[in-house]
Amino acid sequence: MSVSERDKYTGHMTTGHEWNGIKELNTPVPLVLLVFLSAAFLFALGYWILMPAWPLGDTYTKGTLGFDQRQHLAKQIEKNDSEQSRWIDPLVQLDFDAIQGNSQLMAIVDESGPALFEDNCAMCHGSDGDGGRYFPKLNDTSWLWGSDPNVILQTLAVGINSTHPDTRIAIMPGFGAAGVLSAEVIENLVAYVQSISSSHNTSIEQANMAGKEAYSMYCAGCHANDGTGNSVVGAPNLTDDYWVYGGDTTALTATLTHGRKGHMPAWDKRLSLSERRILTLYVLSLNQSVVTGDKP
Ligand code: HEC
Ligand code: HEC
């Protein structure tokens, strides 16, 4: 049993509690703690009055400042939208020449084009637009449908052999499978096509006369007399060194026998007009000779 007494070193009273000879001093609460507690109390009181704080069933105390997170967010979205429309509007409204001549707009194309292409196009056309077997290269000067940006924009909107009602239609008929041409005529045609392509093999030149006649009769209507193709029907140039389906004898025989019909989806429902226009300019920029203004 202990009683409170005055501590002889500090002059404070003790509380009367003692642990193994150590006595507890009865000192006042430190001032700094009182100051902080009062400040926190005043802050909380002020916050309740000024800001939304207490839930009241299906409403809440609104606070006298009228601050509202929801309105704050709505305003921020509105601000972002108006910043975006500053560059979306010209991308949608200006013609391609004007956009290509505007370095600020082209910077947006360079910035957003690669990600849009990677997400939507690279699985068929390759990351750098390098194409692949059955999918055309987009980074060269050889175009099935032409290099005019408005043509590319239209291709992106409606697709090729797609389910879109206005789809572009590209059909290379299957002359062998349909029984129109015999295997022998197809063999001659394959040799002829190989001989007019830029990597032609002179040793097959002899076989060409028969092939040439059949070509004028069955092929020239779509691929042109000189074999340079026709972008109105998406018929490829056969005289260059580029093949979607392959230029070796086996691949060409398959093309002529069974036909070809590439599928390119329509993007008008999946990408906005501004995104399709960005992609059009991006696809054109993949081709270095177009970047330097040296159009084919
Ligand atoms: C499912 C595969 C696939 C996807 C995805 C795809 N394409 Fe294609 N694309 C094709 C095929 C196949 C063709 C050639 C069709 C034909 O003419 O027979 C083509 C043709 C094109 C052409 C015309 C090329 C020329 O030489 O005229 C352009 C331009 C093009 N694609 C751009 C794009 C862009 C941009 C995207 C992304 C939004 C895209 N494609 C996504 C398969 C695809
Ligand atoms: C009705 C028009 C049409 C006719 C007729 C036609 N073609 Fe085609 N041809 C096309 C189209 C369109 C393509 C592209 C198909 C695709 O990619 O979807 C094509 C593709 C090809 C290809 C593939 C080229 C590549 O890059 O791989 C070859 C080769 C070809 N045609 C040769 C011929 C020959 C030879 C004949 C005559 C026997 C012929 N075509 C008749 C429209 C035609």
Side-chain angles (χ1 to χ4, degrees):
M1 169 75 199
S2 52
V3 285
S4 58
E5 56 182 276
R6 190 167 293 280
D7 176 60
K8 65 180 178 203
Y9 300 105
T10 61
H12 282 298
M13 294 302 286
T14 66
T15 60
H17 299 150
E18 181 184 340
W19 293 275
N20 295 336
I22 299 171
K23 292 174 183 167
E24 186 183 26
L25 296 179
N26 189 4
T27 50
V29 178
L31 185 65
V32 50
L33 194 67
L34 282 180
V35 168
F36 275 115
L37 273 174
S38 330
F41 176 77
L42 287 174
F43 175 80
L45 199 68
Y47 196 92
W48 293 349
I49 295 170
L50 297 173
M51 303 294 279
W54 291 103
L56 303 171
D58 53 4
T59 174
Y60 56 92
T61 61
K62 304 247 161 35
T64 55
L65 285 185
F67 181 80
D68 185 341
Q69 288 277 13
R70 229 177 285 177
Q71 271 177 16
H72 181 67
L73 180 71
K75 269 193 206 130
Q76 217 154 22
I77 291 176
E78 209 175 288
K79 185 165 157 253
N80 284 354
D81 280 355
S82 78
E83 264 166 27
Q84 261 200 350
S85 70
R86 265 217 327 268
W87 56 263
I88 285 185
D89 289 351
L91 275 177
V92 169
Q93 289 155 8
L94 293 180
D95 14 304
F96 284 108
D97 276 350
I99 299 173
Q100 279 168 320
N102 180 322
S103 59
Q104 268 175 319
L105 291 175
M106 283 312 283
I108 287 161
V109 170
D110 291 342
E111 215 173 89
S112 29
L116 277 172
F117 192 84
E118 192 60 44
D119 289 350
N120 300 290
C121 324
M123 68 284 246
C124 290
H125 292 287
S127 287
D128 42 9
D130 221 15
R133 196 76 185 258
Y134 303 157
F135 300 111
K137 236 171 137 71
L138 299 177
N139 59 2
D140 62 0
T141 49
S142 165
W143 295 93
L144 296 166
W145 300 91
S147 62
D148 182 319
N150 290 302
V151 167
I152 296 176
L153 183 65
Q154 173 72 3
T155 302
L156 290 187
V158 301
I160 301 163
N161 299 326
S162 76
T163 51
H164 195 286
D166 299 324
T167 179
R168 289 193 189 286
I169 293 170
I171 295 172
M172 165 66 198
F175 289 92
V180 177
L181 299 177
S182 68
E184 194 195 339
V185 178
I186 288 180
E187 204 178 306
N188 287 335
L189 276 165
V190 167
Y192 177 72
V193 168
Q194 284 176 328
S195 73
I196 61 171
S197 91
S198 67
S199 57
H200 69 99
N201 179 347
T202 40
S203 68
I204 53 176
E205 210 89 67
Q206 289 310 312
N208 288 351
M209 282 330 288
K212 191 177 169 132
E213 257 169 52
Y215 181 88
S216 314
M217 204 181 304
Y218 297 104
C219 321
C222 289
H223 291 279
N225 280 328
D226 58 358
T228 51
N230 181 350
S231 58
V232 175
V233 293
N237 183 347
L238 303 176
T239 64
D240 60 11
D241 205 10
Y242 174 65
W243 302 99
V244 180
Y245 302 101
D248 56 276
T249 306
T250 318
L252 284 173
T253 306
T255 298
L256 270 61
T257 306
H258 304 292
R260 300 289 187 187
K261 194 173 180 219
H263 290 272
M264 153 90 174
W267 297 94
D268 62 344
K269 300 269 185 321
R270 279 178 272 192
L271 296 173
S272 68
L273 180 57
S274 60
E275 288 171 324
R276 278 179 271 136
R277 297 192 105 213
I278 287 174
L279 277 169
T280 297
L281 290 162
Y282 177 70
V283 164
L284 284 170
S285 79
L286 289 173
N287 180 338
Q288 286 311 307
S289 70
V290 173
V291 169
T292 55
D294 164 22
K295 288 196 180 144

